[in-house]
């Protein structure tokens, strides 16, 4: 299994056709699109199979596409240190569907999933620990969604009189006259 | 009787002592303090807010860090001063339009600002001289 | 003994180990032993990923390089590699060599800082000061040869400006200064006290390290022979021979050894690299003559517009002193990335801390955290 194509075929052979929806390779890395129901099975296979040995979970991240019916794509990046190979799994999911947690297969998936939950609002099932990780509730929303403003929704300040923190809604600020920023925004 | 003693009020004495032996507590929230720092400006660093006179907050203050900064500030004995290091703590700097960053001045009263991204040792020394000049 | 009623909780904050940034650890103790450790991170979260989704490829480097203070090229290097892969930019050889050289010089400074911090956290302030001094000298060298502030020097397509004339001599001079400093440092640090505080402390085995997602020196200390520079050579690493040292201790001492070996390796790489330096361009996009008005406006336009990122996505990883730092970049045909995610190397290490610290004494938490060499700004992004 020297070439990536052979390798992709090998993986696909072990699963039903509807489980692995797509297969592409770009920049020397194989990307498989898997069905939500088949995720844990696929990852366990990739970890345990003697020809794959993707024993390290490098990263999990998500991308938000607000115009799609299933708006989130989750990306799982696995590495095989023994065979020096990487693979990426893509999986589509919707706002109100819970994704199976990978915490049982790779222990370090837990924090990545916590991060995705608070940043994108994707929920996970069978997850051991669903507390917030990087941000506070006062940020108000899911920051990495495309409809969340970059400058945030809330403002935090400390009231000396009441000796407590006040979270207030941020007023839209007048547009800055930075040429570079304006021109960069033109393509958005 | 020899005059080998002097009388002063305790407040004045402790104020004099504090003015001449200050200790700074650093809170390195961002990426500034490695470049320059209180140590280079000749101020001893102490990691206990109860014994610190100056709170040095370096870098962008996030929503999550704001209560921490306030709590550390409240724990410090008066008189106390807050030094904000870097553009990020001043007004957000590079992260001014980030959803996660607040201005330090909204959280604690700031006595002196060190500008720069990152600030140089000279910026730091100038700001501290300014702080000392204020006399507290 | 491990009855919940008999355990107590201790907060370790705001800086659990020297120079790591703000973070809060909550340790559940049974006597002096840590039964459970919970890390609260995110105090330095500045939303870099969201910022990067609104700026173009030319501007993005500023934010990438603010990822961490000791290794300004950590985020930027991965970002430029990802953008170049995606846009299919052919980087000139000299630019690749300059980037490799600077990454290695910065690696020396960062590893020195980490070693010094570990020494401080085991009570050896003198060694910490010597390491910090050497790190400052290295940073100064970086500034002198690049003629740039520390960081924001890499560009998509190459680097910002050429290295200063006679940089080879300056680097060689600095190289000759290093071995005595390292010898002094080792003789100061590596004594009976240090060994008793680090050997067998904070153990993590090879399988556990793999499953925890550890990379870089932390993984190599547990016996995993993995180094992005050797396995997936980027820039000029394919022209030099990268040796990957491995230790089997898996404890704090092994991690310390790996960092010292890392410094020697970086020096060896610089030694191999210096005579190879090619003449030529330093950026794939030739900088127009900025003394004329048309040239200046072209340059302005190039910078303001940035490089178009075609549709598609790519992941590029670099070996930083923390481990594998990667950037996932998705383009949509505009110069502004649709999504940019930074895979920080310290993130899994902070997560693995809960596993490593269980069973250790409360006193040992500090060296354990320190030996992992994490920097919270890099972890929180």
């Amino acid at each position: 299994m020297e070439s990536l194509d052979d390798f992709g075929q090998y993986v696909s052979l072990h699963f039903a056709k509807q489980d692995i929806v797509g297969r592409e390779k770009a920049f020397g890395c194989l990307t498989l699109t898997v069905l939500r129901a088949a995720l844990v099975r696929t990852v366990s296979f990739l970890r345990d199979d003697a020809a794959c040995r993707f024993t390290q979970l490098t990263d999990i991240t998500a991308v938000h596409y607000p115009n799609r019916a299933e708006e989130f794509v989750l990306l799982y990046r696995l590495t095989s240190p023994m065979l020096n190979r990487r693979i990426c799994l893509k999986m589509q999911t919707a706002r109100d569907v819970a994704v199976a947690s990978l915490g049982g297969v790779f222990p370090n998936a837990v924090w990545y999933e916590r991060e995705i939950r608070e940043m994108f609002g994707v929920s996970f099932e069978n997850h051991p620990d669903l507390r917030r990780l990087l941000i506070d509730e006062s940020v108000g929303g899911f920051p990495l969604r495309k409809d969340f403003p970059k400058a945030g929704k809330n403002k935090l300040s400390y009231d000396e009189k009441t000796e407590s923190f006040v979270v207030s809604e941020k007023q839209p600020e007048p547009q800055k006259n930075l040429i570079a920023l304006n021109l960069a925004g033109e393509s958005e | 009787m020899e005059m080998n003693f002097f009388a002063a009020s305790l407040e004045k004495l402790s104020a004099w002592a504090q003015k001449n032996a200050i200790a700074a507590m650093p809170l390195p929230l961002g990426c500034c303090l490695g470049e320059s720092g209180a140590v280079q400006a000749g101020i001893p660093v102490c990691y206990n807010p109860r014994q610190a006179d100056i709170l040095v907050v370096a870098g962008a203050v996030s929503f999550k860090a704001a209560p921490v900064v306030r709590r550390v500030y409240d724990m410090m004995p008066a008189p106390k001063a807050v030094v904000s290091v870097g553009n990020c703590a001043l007004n957000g700097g590079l992260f001014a339009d980030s959803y996660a960053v607040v201005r330090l001045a909204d959280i604690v009263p700031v006595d002196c600002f060190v500008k720069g991204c990152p600030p140089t040792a000279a910026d730091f020394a100038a700001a501290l001289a300014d702080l000392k000049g204020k006399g507290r | 003994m491990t009855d919940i009623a008999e355990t107590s909780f201790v907060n370790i904050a705001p800086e659990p180990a020297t120079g790591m940034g703000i973070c809060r650890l909550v340790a559940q103790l049974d006597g002096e032993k840590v039964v459970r450790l919970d890390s609260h991170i995110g105090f330095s979260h500045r939303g870099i990923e969201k910022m990067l989704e609104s700026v173009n490829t030319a501007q993005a480097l500023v934010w990438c390089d603010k990822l961490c203070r000791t290794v300004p090229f950590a985020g930027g290097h991965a970002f430029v590699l990802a953008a170049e892969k995606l846009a299919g930019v052919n980087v000139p050889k000299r630019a690749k060599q300059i980037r490799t050289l600077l990454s290695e010089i910065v690696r020396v400074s960062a590893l020195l800082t980490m070693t010094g911090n570990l020494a401080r956290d085991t009570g050896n302030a003198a060694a910490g000061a010597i390491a910090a001094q050497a790190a400052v000298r290295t940073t100064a060298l970086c500034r002198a040869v690049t003629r740039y502030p520390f960081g924001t020097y890499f560009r998509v397509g190459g680097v910002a400006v050429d290295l200063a004339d006679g940089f080879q001599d300056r680097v060689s001079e600095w190289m000759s200064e290093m071995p005595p400093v390292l010898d002094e440092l080792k003789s100061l640090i590596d004594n009976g006290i240090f060994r008793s505080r680090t050997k067998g402390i904070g153990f993590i085995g090879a399988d556990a390290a793999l499953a925890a997602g550890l990379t870089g020196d932390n993984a190599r200390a547990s016996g995993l022979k993995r180094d992005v520079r050797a396995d997936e050579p980027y820039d000029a690493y394919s022209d030099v021979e990268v040796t990957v040292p491995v230790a089997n201790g898996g404890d704090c001492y092994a991690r310390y050894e790996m960092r010292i070996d890392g410094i020697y390796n970086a020096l060896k790489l610089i030694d191999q690299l210096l005579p190879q330096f090619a003449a030529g361009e330093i950026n794939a996009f030739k900088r127009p003559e900025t003394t004329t008005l048309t040239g200046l406006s072209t340059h302005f336009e190039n910078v303001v517009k940035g490089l178009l990122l075609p549709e598609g996505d790519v992941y590029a990883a670099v070996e930083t002193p923390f481990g594998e730092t990667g950037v996932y970049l998705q383009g949509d045909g505009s110069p502004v990335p649709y999504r940019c995610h930074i895979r920080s190397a310290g993130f899994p290490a902070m997560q693995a801390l809960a596993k490593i610290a269980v069973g250790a004494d409360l006193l040992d938490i500090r060296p354990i955290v320190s030996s992992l060499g994490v920097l919270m700004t890099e972890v929180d992004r």
Side-chain angles (χ1 to χ4, degrees), chain B residues 29 35 62 64 98-99, chain C residues 41 43-46 63 143:
Chain B
L29 285 160
E35 282 281 279
S62 65
K64 201 170 174 175
S98 167
Y99 60 87
Chain C
I41 64 168
F43 296 101
S44 302
H45 177 74
R46 293 154 292 166
W63 279 274
R143 268 208 212 95

Side-chain angles (χ1 to χ4, degrees), chain A residues 16-88:
Chain A
K17 226 174 209 156
Q18 63 269 24
D19 284 350
I20 294 182
V21 190
R23 197 173 77 212
E24 54 180 311
K25 68 175 181 164
F27 309 110
C29 177
L30 190 71
T31 304
L32 302 175
T33 310
V34 294
L35 215 65
R36 210 160 44 233
L39 175 75
V40 178
R41 240 179 323 134
T42 319
V43 173
S44 310
F45 169 80
L46 288 173
R47 186 190 65 171
D48 298 332
D49 188 80
C52 301
R53 298 173 84 188
F54 288 101
T55 43
Q56 189 165 49
L57 175 73
T58 303
D59 190 25
I60 308 179
T61 186
V63 188
H64 184 214
Y65 301 94
N67 299 327
R68 290 190 189 171
E70 296 201 306
E71 23 180 358
F72 301 105
V73 169
L74 262 64
L75 295 131
Y76 297 83
R77 206 165 292 283
L78 307 175
T79 309
S80 166
M82 296 86 174
L83 302 175
N84 190 18
R85 187 176 269 166
R86 287 175 195 271
I87 195 168
C88 177

Side-chain angles (χ1 to χ4, degrees), chain A residues 45-177:
Chain A
F45 169 80
L46 288 173
R47 186 190 65 171
D48 298 332
D49 188 80
C52 301
R53 298 173 84 188
F54 288 101
T55 43
Q56 189 165 49
L57 175 73
T58 303
D59 190 25
I60 308 179
T61 186
V63 188
H64 184 214
Y65 301 94
N67 299 327
R68 290 190 189 171
E70 296 201 306
E71 23 180 358
F72 301 105
V73 169
L74 262 64
L75 295 131
Y76 297 83
R77 206 165 292 283
L78 307 175
T79 309
S80 166
M82 296 86 174
L83 302 175
N84 190 18
R85 187 176 269 166
R86 287 175 195 271
I87 195 168
C88 177
L89 300 183
K90 274 189 187 177
M91 183 188 72
Q92 295 227 341
T93 182
R95 198 175 275 221
D96 39 7
V97 186
V99 178
S101 166
L102 274 191
V105 189
F106 288 108
N108 65 328
V110 172
W111 272 26
Y112 288 118
E113 287 168 353
R114 277 171 77 178
E115 188 194 336
I116 290 171
R117 182 171 173 269
E118 66 178 351
M119 293 293 182
F120 291 91
V122 176
S123 50
F124 290 91
E125 57 186 14
N126 296 330
H127 195 280
D129 180 6
L130 276 175
R131 288 170 301 158
R132 284 181 168 268
L133 184 68
L134 287 175
I135 53 172
D136 213 43
E137 283 93 349
S138 48
V139 169
F142 304 109
L144 286 183
R145 281 190 183 173
K146 289 287 170 190
D147 49 8
F148 191 90
K150 181 177 76 162
K153 288 180 173 164
N154 289 343
K155 218 178 133 197
L156 188 72
S157 56
Y158 186 82
D159 191 349
E160 299 276 353
K161 278 183 201 139
T162 57
E163 299 193 346
S164 61
F165 279 93
V166 185
V167 181
S168 56
E169 216 162 284
K170 209 172 209 169
Q171 300 301 321
E173 281 178 27
Q175 191 67 42
K176 283 182 189 164
N177 283 326

Side-chain angles (χ1 to χ4, degrees), chain C residues 237-249:
Chain C
Y237 285 111
S238 42
D239 302 339
V240 288
E241 195 190 333
V242 186
T243 40
V244 186
V246 182
N248 291 313

Side-chain angles (χ1 to χ4, degrees), chain C residues 137-168:
Chain C
R137 266 212 298 282
T138 312
T139 318
L141 171 84
C142 236
R143 268 208 212 95
V145 295
T146 59
R147 292 171 292 175
Y148 241 70
F150 200 37
T152 51
Y153 175 66
F154 292 180
R155 293 285 184 274
V156 178
V159 290
V161 292
D162 208 347
L163 293 178
D165 290 336
F167 72 92
Q168 267 131 329

